[in-house]
Amino acid sequence: MTKIENIMRVLEGLKMTIVGGVFLLISLIFVLTGTPVPYNLDPAWVTIIICGIPLVYLALTRLIYEHWVSSALLIVMAMVASIMIGEIFAAGEVTFIMALGALLEEYTVERSKRGLTDLINLKPENGRLITIENGKTVEKEIEATEIQIDDIIRVLPGEKIPVDGVIVSGDTSVDQSVMTGESLPLDKTIDDEVFSGTLNLHGSIDIKATKVGSDSSLEKLIRLVQEADEKQAPTQRIADKWATWLVPVALGIAIVTYILTWNIERAVTILVVFCPCALILATPTAIMAAIGQATKQGVLIKSGEALEIMGNVDTITFDKTGTLTYGNLEVSDIIPLTNNVSQDKLTEYVTVSEVKSEHPIGKAVVSYSNSEGKHYPQPDKFEMIPGKGVKVEYNNQIIYSGTTRFMEDNNIEVTDSCISQLDLLRDEGKASIVVAVDNSIVGIIGLSDVLRENAKAVVSTLQGELETNVELLTGDNYKAANYFASQVGITDVHSELLPENKVEIVEQLKQSDKKVCMIGDGVNDAPALKTANVSIAMGGMGSDIAIDAADMALLGDDIEKLPYLKKLSNSTLFTIHLSITISMIINAVAIICSVLGLLNPITGALVHNVGSCAVVMLAASLYDRDFTKYVISSDNPNFGKKDDAKAQNYNNANAVTGK
């Protein structure tokens, strides 16, 4: 940054702007009381120096280097013209209002950029290379960047997988939520694919590297976030968009008026009242009030642009896990398959077998028993087979808990009734544990991610009263995704998605002229969050990367504020448009009065201030407006059900084909 730019930054800062405002207020007092002040000693000169110099610098750099006729140029012209005819207060007033508007805008558009750094930190730094030397297996730790395709890499329990690959030896369970967002760890065995950056939970595995370096899944994820971030271009202020024609129109009217009246004061007054200060203030003041309103409700809005875009959103895409659901497994079904075993006895068998397990499914079972006040002793012997199940000895019985493949490996017959029940659980998107005692299956335990109590009401309100199409994007399998979608009333479902697939669908929606909002909570959602027109992250349990990638965050761990946020955004956009309309009407009336000689530069500046104050007061009303009826609280989970039919009709009418 050059020395001149540093000086401009100081003058544009809050402290110096306040100083300029104080001196302008003193000048106004002199004007209103009729106190004569020498031309060179008018306090407004301080305001002109502090607020006017950065304005002149901005207008000239945009005009000379960017060939951009901005609103700053029009205000500089009004300032210079006012000074030339001795109206120092009028000159200071227009520059101060412009400086204040710039400060408000800068305050509301700061964006966080830490998310990409956090994502890069997920990259594994090292890997265990396995080679054969002199007939012996040798393990050597190398940097992840040195791994080549077809290298054999060993990954121990608790370690991140350094590259994409295929398992050539071992069984395990892998937490790959970083890539797919799935709430359940996946059991993996020989020939199964694994991804870089995912976590090996249990067994030791050897993998053959298939994608390394920039081709790996995690590197692609990072690249997607980078590319999406680069596509986010800041919007120009409305006043600057209009400045191209505002400047010549203002000049034209002022020149024609001067030619017809030979009154320079009228011409200068036209330039003063033509300044788009109220227009400049319309957007940032409304946004500041809305952000303050949202903060009271526990909603973090990172930029004014995001709030504006949210007001135009017509399609909301949800991730499932951690948004519509809590992202935690809970026991949902206890299904005995023999008359000799009750639900309580089946619960005892499975809890005893899983009490030493580190698998999330096993922990969920033990947690369920504890919550029911059922505490069982430790098994006599415990053996875990990674990726398959556990085998324990308890009260002279052998208990097996795990997959059907685990049962078959132990020569236990998987009955038709067992398969039928497992199919039903899968159709509902549930995980399952098959339980056998000695040599026969005695029952099944079903576990499910828990749907949020108010998810259906939230979706219904969005689709119904707020007329917003809702779609589901998830890494879960087809049956699980459709089961959960049916529970909340979503008909447009995209399942089994990797991060790049979510990005593709968001891009397709945008290309079909949809304004898309993406809602997610995981690292895997970050690229789609960045790609969408605007995005919302779950702040309570969501990953830091998702929160940083998103434009907004729900600070509480709930989606009950989504309809509120959408309604607030709609109202903010309406308020901005209304403010712009009011400011343009005031300007038009003031211009007519200036042409007729009813206003002079000082009274014109005061009228100019009235317009600015009207805009600020209208915007401020957003802060105290009551939008709480759109908060779908757990105390009122049925809110919005009256709109179910309307929501369904709207969703069907706006459904995107090709799913």
Side-chain angles (χ1 to χ4, degrees), residues 1 41 43 114 133 139 184 211 241 417 491 510:
M1 187 176 289
L41 298 179
R114 298 191 309 270
E133 298 180 9
E139 180 181 308
L184 302 177
K211 294 180 182 178
K241 289 181 180 180
S417 61
T491 58
K510 290 170 65 178

Side-chain angles (χ1 to χ4, degrees), residues 77-98:
M77 290 166 54
M79 177 189 75
V80 172
S82 298
I83 292 173
M84 289 177 65
I85 65 169
E87 299 292 352
I88 308 304
F89 170 77
E93 186 271 344
V94 293
T95 58
F96 175 74
I97 294 295
M98 182 69 174

